[in-house]
Each structure stands twice: as structure tokens, then as C-alpha cells.
Amino acid sequence: MKRKPSTEATAAWIRLMRVQTRVLDAVEQELKKAGFPPLAWYDALLELSRAPSGEMRPVELERQMLLPQYSTSRLIDRLVDEGLAARRECKIDKRGQFVEITEAGRELQKKMWGAYSAAIEKHVGSKLSDADAAKLCGLLDRLGCSCSDAQSPAIGEGVPSR
């Protein structure tokens, strides 16, 4: 017979899911109040800006952002429509394409970071000491969420949310 989770493990799971939802909703609201697009736009622009030459294949972006394919495709369409990203044909594989961040995309990502970083401080940083935050990162690492992927960013660079 397979082992069932303890009451404590189940309680931790419930709290983890609730806090994730509440904090993400709060951050989304802060961005909306500041007149910015959704957090997924920031995440996509950040991933593209971190990529070599500022470009990625759509499947790579999908993998980095942990979004389903259809959501990533729609997001890319919106970023392209707004002039924040551009599609480029792959020279080696004519069927493939790259998504490339534009200068306007870089500028928006940097502007969004001001509101995003303030929201992170308001909803997380102000509630945890640096030691508590480091301890939480260690605990999350044990669950398979490597905080080393989100090291302290340079000002204006930001961190992925998901």
C-alpha cells in the first residue's frame, strides 16, 4: 500500500497553493493599477531579454515560463501585435521560427520592473526577513523549485514569477 501524506504535509500543500494564488493575484492587481499589462507579459519579455541575442524558439519560451503551448502562442501573438517582440524565420530550419524581443519590449520590461519589484516587496519582502526568505528558498529547493534560477537580479532586470 502506498503511503499517504501526513496531516502536516497536506497542510503545507494547501498553504503553498493558497499563498501562491493570493500573492500572484495581488501582484497582478498592482501591475494593473500601475497601467501595465499582465505579469505573463513581463515574464516573457524577461526570458527573451535574458536569452542569447534576445531570441528564443517558442517551445523554449514555453518551457521557461511553464505555460501550456496554446497560452504561449497567444501571448507571443499579443507581444508581436504590440511591437514588443518580433517573429523571425530560422535560417537553418525554414519551418522553425524565433521570437525576438524588440527595443520597445526591453523598455516595457524595465518599466514594469519598478511596479513589479514594489509589489514583491509589499507582498513578500516586507513580511519576511532576508534570513526567512533564504530559508524559504532552501525549503522550496527541496521540493524541486530551484531558487538559484532566480538569483538577485540587477536593478530593472527582475525575476521570473513562475
Side-chain angles (χ1 to χ4, degrees):
M1 177 178 232
K2 292 185 180 180
R3 183 173 170 231
K4 293 184 180 180
S6 68
T7 302
E8 294 80 7
T10 302
W13 170 255
I14 291 167
R15 284 178 174 83
L16 186 60
M17 293 299 99
R18 285 181 181 164
V19 76
Q20 177 201 19
T21 299
R22 288 178 183 155
V23 171
L24 281 175
D25 287 349
V27 169
E28 287 280 7
Q29 288 305 310
E30 299 284 337
L31 288 175
K32 189 175 183 176
K33 276 191 245 175
F36 289 116
L39 188 55
W41 288 40
Y42 177 88
D43 288 345
L45 294 171
L46 177 66
E47 293 302 336
L48 290 171
S49 72
R50 287 180 167 177
S53 304
E55 65 184 21
M56 300 174 91
R57 288 186 179 260
V59 70
E60 295 169 325
L61 185 59
E62 176 185 324
R63 202 174 308 122
Q64 285 297 108
M65 293 187 56
L66 305 175
L67 291 174
Q69 185 273 328
Y70 63 89
S71 294
T72 305
S73 294
R74 282 193 295 238
L75 176 59
I76 291 169
D77 288 343
R78 289 182 183 117
L79 294 174
V80 169
D81 290 347
E82 293 293 324
L84 304 170
R87 285 191 179 88
R88 191 175 61 69
E89 184 180 89
C90 178
K91 292 177 176 122
I92 299 168
D93 175 9
K94 297 293 184 189
R95 295 172 300 172
Q97 63 175 305
F98 284 95
V99 179
E100 182 176 32
I101 190 169
T102 64
E103 196 54 42
R106 288 183 193 279
E107 288 175 23
L108 178 62
Q109 184 259 318
K110 287 176 184 170
K111 287 178 187 174
M112 286 180 78
W113 174 241
Y116 187 16
S117 64
I120 291 170
E121 177 56 27
K122 178 179 179 180
H123 300 288
V124 178
S126 68
K127 294 173 169 65
L128 299 174
S129 68
D130 288 347
D132 287 342
K135 186 175 182 178
L136 180 59
C137 281
L139 292 170
L140 292 171
D141 284 350
R142 288 173 42 193
L143 295 176
C145 173
S146 178
C147 289
S148 63
D149 293 343
Q151 290 296 322
S152 299
I155 301 289
E157 190 176 314
V159 294
S161 65
R162 306 171 204 355

